[in-house]
Structure formats: C-alpha cells, structure tokens
Amino acid sequence: MYHFIMYLYLLGVIICSFFSEKVKKMWRGERDCFRVIREKLDPEAQYAWFHAASLGEFEQGRPLMEQLRRKHPEYKILLTFFSPSGYEVRKNYEGADIICYLPIDTVTNARRFLRTIRPVVAFFIKYEFWYNYLHILKHRHVPVYSVSSIFRPDQVFFKWYGHQYGMVLKCFTHFFVQNDISKELLAKIGITNVTVTGDTRFDRVLTIKEQAKHLPIVSTFKGNSKVFVAGSSWQPDEDIFIRYFNTHRDWKLIIAPHVIGEDHLKEIEKKLEGRKVIRYTQAQQHLHLSASPGEDDAIDKAIADAEVLIIDCFGLLSSIYNFADITYVGGGFGVGIHNVLEAAVWNVPVVFGPNNKKFQEAQDLKSAGGGFEIQGYDDLHTLMERFDSDKTFLQTASDHAGNYVRSHAGATDSIFKEVFKQ
C-alpha cells in the first residue's frame, strides 16, 4: 500500500508542477538530485547524511552538523531537503559538502540514492519517517538516528490501523525525543531505544544570540523608546496588533512580516493610519547613497523620528528581537506559530495566537510564564495594558522567557555523546 501511495504521490507532484511554482521547484530539484551528487561526491569520503523536511527542521539539525564538523572533520556532510522552503533558503549553507533535494521515497530512488552516497551514519530530523530509505539503511547496517523527534497519540503509529507502517520505527538505531510523553508512547509499541534530550533548537538560538548582527538602523530607530517587535506576521496577526498600536503611540512598532511582497507591504502601510513609517531597505539605501555627514545626520533623524519600522528583507529577525521590550510571533491565527525561541532567548515575553497546541516550546513557554496566548484584539489590549502598568509583571515575564531557553539547552551535546561515545 505504501509503495502504491508513493507512486500516486509522484503522479500528483508531476501534475501539480504545471500549476504551482513551489511544486515545480521541488520536482525539478528531485530530478536534479543525482546530477548534483554525481558532480560533488567524493568517492573516497565517509558521509554523514542529515535529512530535514524544511527550514525549521534544518535549524534543529544545524547544531549537530556544526558540532560534527568541528569535532570530526574526517566526515563529509550530505544535507537533503524535502521542501523548497528549506532548500531554497539554505542551498548555499557552508556547513554541508553536498546539498540537494531528497528524491521521492520509491524503492528505485532509495536504492539508487543510497548506493551512490553510501552514508556511514544518518540523521533524520523530527518528523521524517521515509519507509524505503529507512528499511534499506537498516538492511545495510547503517546507524540511523531520529533527532529532536516528538510524538503524539493521534499519530498513525499509535492507531490500530497503523501497525504495519509503524514498523518503520524499528529501523532507527536510537530516538532522541523532546519530551517524556514521546518516550512513553514509543514504549507502548515496544520501542525502548529512546532518550529524552529535548530540542536542539535551544542550542541553536543561543548560538544565534551570540552571533547577532550589528544593526545601527534598528538601534537608531529604537532610541530610548519602548518597542514592540512583531516577527513572521501574517495578515490576521497584523490586523490585531496594528489596531492596538494605532491608538497607543507611546510605543514604537517593528514589523517583520512573513510575506514581504510589495502588495503586502503596501497593505500594512495603509493600515497604519498616518503613523510615520520607514522601510528598512529604504533607510539602508539612503545611508549608502548619502554624500555628506550632514546628510547622514538628516537620515538618522528621519529614522529616529519614525514610529514604525518595516523589515522588508530576510535574515535580520533573530537579531532584531534584541531591541524588543515585548515580542509577538505570528502564524497563530493560521497554520501555526513560527519560532518563539528566537524571541524568548533575548529575555523578552512572547505573545502569539491560539494555534500553538502542537508546538511543545510554546506550551512550555506559557507554563513557564514567559509566553502569552491571545485569542484576539481584546486579549492583546488587556495584556499590553498590564505590561504597560505593571513593570514587575513585565520584568518577571521577561526573566521567565530567557530562563526557559537557557534551562533547556544541551540537547546537542547529549546526542553527540551518545552517537559518537565521547
């Protein structure tokens, strides 16, 4: 049945590639995979294979890849992605020797791929359970590790009808899971090669904090003002917090929308009701083109006088959270929230929408007192008024957020020690 589904899925991808640019990129990338490998493969090298579905899983695998690179440079690293949203952003990542899409999990593709690479160890990040790849790896006696995985009772492995597919879990050498619930669920189906190590993303965000970018434009914008940073926001998020800040002008607002297309940026600006708005790239361009110190001073004044800064480029958000007094992470009124840890690591409270139940870090952050769920505008209004009037409450929430991240670090070292016995 699984094989039939894979071939049906393959047919669906081919058809959808005619109508979706994202699917087209994925389909082209998968077909191009073997050429990329053929051109870059070192036949004498030992490869450690890391597979991440998308960008979030890459960030979970990245600390382990970078530690492997430092401590065992004799290994070369193959990094594969399933989704264009991961591959397109990280296709030039310098921490891997080969980066490509993973071909769809047919028997033919899996055999050809593994016969070509011959990995000596494999790491599947979080939710990756490809039946053919995993069974062939087991047959070849290649150690395979599931990293930062998390399991829930509603997953197919724990249903009466999921027993056959659940056998794929027997292919893993060891599971490094995020919580005790995952360990207990696996034990119920006879899988005991499990260690609760937590999430490697805690290690990653601490590293990001140490390597934060110097952002003079954002620093000038903030000055001595209170700043609310909204990261990875979508339209439903923006409708809520923009409404609040249009009537509370003692706060400055930084918006880093998830979608930075021109139409969406203009839509945001239209909603800001006459507030002084500046885009990051415009400020950057003006400073670059300025011809005199006097002109620089005028640009700096325009940045400092602005009330809203829109981040219309990628790669800055994790550093921008450093300038926040309160943060908001978007996606909670849609498919799910984005990365709350990148904000919490800076010792600031994190606000997010209701679709956060499947995100362990959001649930834990709420329990720790550093994360706050809102259902709509009224909740945000009440919460912001309390933050504004009760400085002790704000400081306590900030401390809880930062302490939560620091107290959960160390998963990378634990995994590394177990895998490499060091």
Side-chain angles (χ1 to χ4, degrees), residues 116-379:
T116 304
I117 293 294
R118 298 187 180 277
V120 296
V121 63
F123 299 89
F124 282 54
I125 313 301
K126 199 173 182 178
Y127 290 132
E128 294 301 278
F129 307 107
W130 295 109
Y131 189 93
N132 292 313
Y133 283 105
L134 287 166
H135 276 85
I136 295 172
L137 285 166
K138 183 179 180 181
H139 178 74
R140 290 172 174 264
H141 304 290
V142 177
V144 185
Y145 300 95
S146 178
V147 175
S148 292
S149 45
I150 188 166
F151 293 90
R152 297 183 302 276
D154 60 351
Q155 287 174 302
V156 65
F157 312 113
F158 311 110
K159 303 293 186 180
W160 64 266
Y161 53 81
H163 175 73
Q164 183 176 2
Y165 180 66
M167 295 299 291
V168 73
L169 300 180
K170 301 284 187 180
C171 295
F172 285 93
T173 305
H174 204 88
F175 289 86
F176 298 102
V177 299
Q178 292 190 32
N179 55 29
D180 290 323
I181 294 174
S182 297
K183 184 176 182 178
E184 292 165 6
L185 285 168
L186 290 171
K188 288 180 180 179
I189 58 174
I191 295 174
T192 58
N193 51 329
V194 182
T195 303
V196 179
T197 54
D199 192 341
T200 51
R201 280 184 300 171
F202 290 93
D203 303 318
R204 176 62 189 150
V205 296
L206 285 166
T207 299
I208 290 172
K209 182 180 179 182
E210 292 173 0
Q211 300 172 349
K213 296 178 174 68
H214 177 59
L215 300 173
I217 290 173
V218 184
S219 180
T220 300
F221 170 80
K222 177 178 174 62
N224 296 317
S225 302
K226 298 179 295 183
V227 174
F228 182 96
V229 174
S232 302
S233 63
W234 295 80
Q235 176 263 317
D237 305 300
E238 292 150 7
D239 286 346
I240 292 171
F241 65 74
I242 288 176
R243 177 183 170 188
Y244 179 83
F245 289 103
N246 275 345
T247 57
H248 293 78
R249 300 200 172 195
D250 53 327
W251 282 82
K252 286 195 171 188
L253 176 60
I254 298 178
I255 307 174
H258 185 76
V259 177
I260 59 172
E262 184 62 24
D263 288 345
H264 185 55
L265 296 176
K266 287 181 177 178
E267 180 183 327
I268 291 172
E269 291 170 339
K270 185 177 179 181
K271 293 174 182 176
L272 286 164
E273 295 184 359
R275 296 200 71 174
K276 298 175 183 177
V277 180
I278 189 167
R279 296 189 190 182
Y280 185 88
T281 58
Q282 291 173 342
Q284 196 175 39
Q285 185 177 27
H286 288 320
L287 286 171
H288 178 71
L289 295 176
S290 64
S292 68
E295 193 172 348
D296 282 349
D297 291 342
I299 296 168
D300 283 344
K301 187 177 186 309
I303 295 170
D305 288 346
E307 298 172 286
V308 182
L309 175 63
I310 297 177
I311 310 302
D312 56 343
C313 55
F314 293 114
L316 302 181
L317 179 57
S318 58
S319 298
I320 286 171
Y321 283 131
N322 179 31
F323 298 90
D325 294 280
I326 298 171
T327 61
Y328 180 95
V329 174
F333 290 92
V335 296
I337 58 171
H338 294 280
N339 191 341
V340 298
L341 299 180
E342 284 187 344
V345 73
W346 290 104
N347 283 59
V348 287
V350 187
V351 184
F352 40 79
N355 192 356
N356 60 73
K357 304 301 183 290
K358 292 184 178 180
F359 299 84
Q360 182 71 40
E361 64 278 13
Q363 298 303 302
D364 291 346
L365 193 58
K366 286 194 294 183
S367 298
F372 300 86
E373 176 185 317
I374 62 168
Q375 298 290 327
Y377 174 79
D378 289 341
D379 287 346

Side-chain angles (χ1 to χ4, degrees), residues 48-89:
W49 173 26
F50 288 81
H51 177 63
S54 191
L55 189 59
E57 289 78 12
F58 164 79
E59 291 296 333
Q60 289 176 297
R62 183 171 179 169
L64 196 58
M65 281 186 276
E66 294 181 350
Q67 187 147 318
L68 179 63
R69 182 74 97 190
R70 288 193 305 271
K71 294 192 174 183
H72 285 284
E74 68 272 19
Y75 289 106
K76 291 202 170 185
I77 293 176
L78 164 69
L79 171 62
T80 58
F81 288 98
F82 179 76
S83 168
S85 59
Y87 175 79
E88 294 299 328
V89 175

Side-chain angles (χ1 to χ4, degrees), residues 16-61:
C16 290
S17 67
F18 290 101
F19 306 99
S20 167
E21 188 61 32
K22 182 177 180 180
V23 176
K24 183 184 296 184
K25 285 181 180 179
M26 183 178 74
W27 174 230
R28 286 176 177 172
E30 288 176 358
R31 286 184 297 166
D32 204 35
C33 165
F34 291 107
R35 179 194 62 78
V36 172
I37 292 174
R38 188 170 58 251
E39 291 177 356
K40 296 187 176 182
L41 184 71
D42 179 353
E44 304 300 321
Q46 296 185 90
Y47 280 90
W49 173 26
F50 288 81
H51 177 63
S54 191
L55 189 59
E57 289 78 12
F58 164 79
E59 291 296 333
Q60 289 176 297

